[in-house]
Amino acid sequence: MAVLVTGFEPFAGLLHNPSHALIEHLPHTLGGEELVRATLPVDTQAVVQRLETLYAAHQPKAVLHLGLAQGRSLLSLEQVALNLLDFDIPDNAGHRRQDQPVLEGGPLALLTRLPYRDILEVWKAAGIPAQLSNSAGTYLCNQVMYLALSKLPQDVPTGFIHLPPDETLALSRPQPYVPLEVQARAITLALETTLTFALPNQPRLDR
Ligand code: PCA
């Protein structure tokens, strides 16, 4: 069984998305599990089918979705996803949404299924600049987090981490950033912690 990690393609006129760049920096296996990486389209319609295909093809034992949060200077471990799509900035296919649910009839909010307190502790010990966030927004990242938590089995650790700009984005427009290498280390630690704490039958990993 595999562990699935995804990033997003660039969007909103940017030429780069650290969440896409970062997945190439992750190890190929973690704790003996294959790490499957994929890049999701920033298209509110196409992303639904893409997720279904990925989940069906890999039957992952843990899932971590990643995206960029422009304007945030720390990694954000997202605590909740809302059943709401509401965005003025069109996605890459030109769609906009207002006051629409991600899933008709679904609960208003879903809580992450990552061991987030453990991840925060591990990050703190490693000096990772990160925070717990209680808003994943109402754009594609929140949609993917909500869909993942709705579609994957309850016992599959599942969640979302928003990444800050990296050095490539900071070079094109001066802004606070966290180097991609540090972000990749943080995500590797988050995945290791998830396999260790959320799947108790897993042998403990060496850090
Ligand atoms: N960030 C956007 C969507 C794609 C991405 O990387 C978001 O925060 O919703």
Side-chain angles (χ1 to χ4, degrees):
M1 273 173 107
V3 174
L4 175 65
V5 185
T6 72
F8 272 106
E9 64 186 7
F11 67 105
L14 299 173
L15 298 175
H16 172 82
N17 189 330
S19 68
H20 162 69
L22 183 145
I23 56 176
E24 300 306 322
H25 291 255
L26 297 175
H28 288 275
T29 57
L30 265 183
E33 308 295 340
E34 185 198 356
L35 198 62
V36 173
R37 315 125 212 270
T39 299
L40 300 178
V42 180
D43 175 335
T44 191
Q45 280 180 4
V47 79
V48 178
Q49 184 58 53
R50 179 87 168 103
L51 284 181
E52 275 178 18
T53 306
L54 281 171
Y55 297 160
H58 300 291
Q59 308 269 314
K61 68 186 292 181
V63 175
L64 178 59
H65 294 296
L66 305 170
L68 166 69
Q70 285 184 277
R72 290 193 195 169
S73 50
L74 305 174
L75 281 92
S76 304
L77 188 41
E78 298 297 350
Q79 211 170 13
V80 291
L82 289 182
N83 192 12
L84 181 63
L85 291 175
D86 195 319
F87 49 90
D88 283 341
I89 299 175
D91 69 14
N92 288 350
H95 307 111
R96 290 169 211 256
R97 294 287 183 264
Q98 202 174 46
D99 307 335
Q100 289 188 18
V102 175
L103 281 181
E104 201 75 52
L108 178 60
L110 293 170
L111 196 65
T112 184
R113 292 201 294 267
L114 294 179
Y116 58 96
R117 297 289 169 197
D118 297 310
I119 294 173
L120 289 169
E121 213 170 286
V122 167
W123 277 354
K124 195 170 170 192
I128 302 294
Q131 64 188 355
L132 186 62
S133 162
N134 55 26
S135 175
T138 52
Y139 193 45
L140 270 284
C141 289
N142 173 72
Q143 179 185 3
V144 162
M145 183 175 174
Y146 191 92
L147 287 172
L149 292 166
S150 304
K151 304 274 178 198
L152 289 161
Q154 285 288 331
D155 61 350
V156 174
T158 301
F160 196 96
I161 296 174
H162 258 128
L163 305 176
D166 63 358
E167 59 274 32
T168 305
L169 287 176
L171 276 171
S172 61
R173 181 171 68 80
Q175 56 190 312
Y177 73 95
V178 174
L180 195 64
E181 198 189 314
V182 174
Q183 298 197 33
R185 185 150 49 86
I187 297 309
T188 305
L189 286 172
L191 288 165
E192 288 176 352
T193 307
T194 298
L195 292 179
T196 305
F197 288 89
L199 298 170
N201 297 334
Q202 193 74 15
R204 281 193 69 97
L205 298 163
D206 290 326
R207 294 224 176 86

